[in-house]
Amino acid sequence: MQNHSGDRWTEESVNQRLDAVLEREARRVLDRAEEENISYRKAAYRQGIERIAGAIRERGNNQDGE
């Protein structure tokens, strides 16, 4: 992200941003595991698959040659 906008981030800033993302995503996995009564591993796997599927939907599926 910093390269796209031309910003330069300090190592401390990068680590703070990374910590925030990891905490948010870990909380989502923990919440999902509890809500669906599944293991943390399965919850993390489902989260990952959904993110990939969402990215594919946003990008579009060009396998049809369109």
Side-chain angles (χ1 to χ4, degrees):
M1 181 183 272
Q2 66 180 327
N3 288 337
H4 290 294
S5 62
D7 293 340
R8 292 182 101 31
W9 298 347
T10 64
E11 182 179 354
E12 181 180 349
S13 175
V14 170
N15 288 334
Q16 287 174 346
R17 290 170 187 248
L18 180 58
D19 284 345
V21 170
L22 290 174
E23 285 181 31
R24 182 184 69 233
E25 294 305 318
R27 174 54 42 206
R28 287 180 178 168
V29 168
L30 295 174
D31 289 346
R32 182 176 198 146
E34 185 176 314
E35 289 169 7
E36 297 182 17
N37 196 28
I38 58 176
S39 70
Y40 298 138
R41 182 178 182 174
K42 286 182 181 178
Y45 186 73
R46 288 180 184 182
Q47 286 292 115
I49 295 297
E50 285 180 4
R51 288 185 69 159
I52 292 168
I56 290 169
R57 274 193 303 273
E58 285 181 22
R59 184 171 159 243
N61 184 353
N62 294 327
Q63 292 183 6
D64 299 336
E66 295 178 19

